[in-house]
Amino acid sequence: MSDSEGRSQTPTPAKSVCPFCGVGCGLTYSEASGKGTGWQAPVNTKGEICPKGAAAFEPVTDDDRLEQPLVRENGHLVTAPWDEALGRIATAFADIVEEHGPDALTFFASSNCTNEENYLFQKLARVLGTNSVDNCARLCHSSTVAAMSERLGAGAMTNTLDDLGEADVFLACGANPAEQHPVIFRSYLLPAIRDGTTLIHVDPRANDTTDAADLHLPVTPGYDIPLLNAMAKVIVDEGLVDEAFCDERVEGLDTLREHLADVDVAANAELAGVDPDALREAARLYGEADRAAAFTGMGMSQHHCGTDNVHALLNLALVTGNVGRRGTGVNPLRGQNNVQGAGDVGALPSVLPGYADVTDGAARAAVAEEWGVEPPAEPGLTEVEATHAAGDAVRGAYVFGENPAITEPNSGRVADALDALDFLVVQDLYVTETAEHADVVLPGSAWAEKGGTVTNTDRQVMRMRPMADPPGDARRDLDIIQSVARRLVGETPARFDHDGPEAVFDELTRVNDLYAGMSYDGIGEGSQRWPFPADADEGVGVLHEDSFATGERTAPLAPVDHVPPADDLGDDELVLTTGRVLQHFNSGALTRRSGTLMKMRGEDVVEIHPEDAAERDIADGDTVEVANGRGSVTVEATVTPRTTRGTVFMTFHYADPLVNSLTGDTLDPVAKIPEYKHSAVRVVPAT
Ligand code: SF4
């Protein structure tokens, strides 16, 4: 099928990468079924995929796709030619910069888009004179990256999917890979578990991952540090410290021992809501293992003490010598398909491509050599900080492929913030909930309509390939960013005229040390993994073998104390924690437009423990109101013992119920990640 311009909207199969999670499965189009199908790619080596991959073409061909730019006229979004839409952006942004300076602009990059698009997007922000560019990594793993970068020098999986199967013990904290990273779970973790690897699952809610676990610690949301410190105490007291490793590779063991001296294991277990004997057993299993691999997810990171949570986990790995070897390490399971890459290429307010600090003059000078323009030296605003400053210090925003109206916490405040901006540009596939607030909406390209590279959760850079053209007047995202940039940057020497993603990738390899030496052709149908030294054909697998990525032979231990959750819990209140389910992904901008996935799980529910339900006269299937001072939603209750007493669970994929109207926006002081995982709520029968 072709449109009136002769462009093909029927996909032609090509070896691309799934647009959903950070596993990075190879995905192509099946002409026989009209659905997504796997090919034998670097991660899904047998061509295996999950239901989201199979349904990935449905949102591409959805009737709601934007086919023309929209501009706001008399309060309504109406279609307009590209020239007019781009002209309005250029005029509005120039006025804002002239009146308020470049830091009055903020840029939301997209961890769902390619390295090349994110690279040019952050380059645009910095050439305009602001470092206020961020992506939704801020909302999922910025705390993990902060802790791991500080301690080990690299905010990424220490190990690879291929070597983790050699572990004797898996410790999964706040992660549910069975539903959130299905191919990792089924193709890498489950075979090892069936071969004898012990799985310890730390999660407030029993889920599909728990079903495969040998030991479940149903931690109360917000109490990971008491739990992990108590595990460290058991390891220290019972002689399970790897003294030889600590002598050579670790600093601060005596200080950590002193810090743990006062820890009462039973009291900490009670505080964390887990059985003390089960906690001791978990510590022994982890501490006695020859090889123990830790996984960490948003259950750990999305707290206002998320950075300290990860420090506590790193302490466990370091004191037991579980770093720098196959089958060990601390391994954050990243969310979106390119959340790792968006950070790698500099779509963060405090670092340049390759994580060089913006305050580092030499790093800025190196970038300036390529760009002809030096980036500013002051870190910019993070995504949530920028939202908080909207209408005040921040006057204009360019949101590329993200949907903060759904994904940011305290969404009532977010809606007000978007309306408070002088000018909002949204580039997306549909009129998303964020685009409803926009002054200009630019119709972009879906995953199956673009080429470029993405970087998966274990640092493999892989290539996407276009299989169709964008519909109507919609354009490829890379072309749109370059068009906007050429209108905005005027006569600066910075280049925004690259002939496709390969040319952008070439430039990226010259300014990003992590990607230096990689090439588009070299990646081919395989992958190249960072770091990528000249003598490693496919990049380095296990990090920190002889020295840490800080350049040091040793890494410091970091004693941390429990930080109480931001929301106080009233007598009649429960803790709301949120997460993803297998069939849906993040704001649901894509999955809510897939009929197949909606049929699998069409409505959201609140999961509540039977005793909490009985106390409130709530029966399974009843309609209930979940509310707090920030907002209120009405949903059906699922009464289940899989949710811990005192805690209720909801997903955050829907505009209705808008669960993030309930979540709080207290920020981690280091990573500025919000407290999504612990919100005090009342749950009552709906009247
Ligand atoms: Fe896509 Fe992730 Fe499913 Fe693989 S596991 S098909 S990358 S959603």
Side-chain angles (χ1 to χ4, degrees), residues 18 20-21 23-25 49-50 52-53 181-183:
C18 177
F20 290 109
C21 82
V23 178
C25 295
I49 56 170
C50 80
K52 288 194 286 287
H181 301 85
V183 169

Side-chain angles (χ1 to χ4, degrees), residues 312-335:
L313 184 61
L314 288 165
N315 289 341
L316 280 189
L318 286 167
V319 297
T320 55
N322 279 305
V323 180
R325 293 182 295 135
R326 294 175 67 83
T328 68
V330 174
N331 298 284
L333 295 172
R334 305 304 301 263

Side-chain angles (χ1 to χ4, degrees), residues 496-577:
F496 290 97
D497 58 356
H498 301 75
D499 185 17
E502 182 172 358
V504 182
F505 189 76
D506 279 352
E507 180 176 316
L508 173 61
T509 62
R510 293 194 293 273
V511 297
N512 181 346
D513 288 347
L514 294 174
Y515 288 37
M518 293 183 187
S519 75
Y520 220 60
D521 282 348
I523 295 168
E525 293 179 3
S527 69
Q528 292 181 330
R529 177 182 273 123
W530 69 255
F532 192 73
D535 57 352
D537 284 349
E538 295 174 351
V540 175
V542 178
L543 297 179
H544 318 305
E545 275 183 326
D546 298 314
S547 61
F548 291 96
T550 52
E552 303 292 331
R553 174 86 176 136
T554 57
L557 294 167
V560 286
D561 289 314
H562 173 55
V563 180
D567 271 10
D568 289 332
L569 210 57
D571 284 343
D572 62 338
E573 290 182 320
L574 300 169
V575 176
L576 168 68
T577 196

Side-chain angles (χ1 to χ4, degrees), residues 17-27 43-44 48-54 56 179-184 186 335 337 582 585:
V17 181
C18 177
F20 290 109
C21 82
V23 178
C25 295
L27 194 66
V43 178
N44 54 331
E48 63 274 37
I49 56 170
C50 80
K52 288 194 286 287
E179 291 189 72
Q180 293 158 0
H181 301 85
V183 169
I184 286 183
R186 277 191 267 123
N337 66 333
L582 172 65
F585 205 74

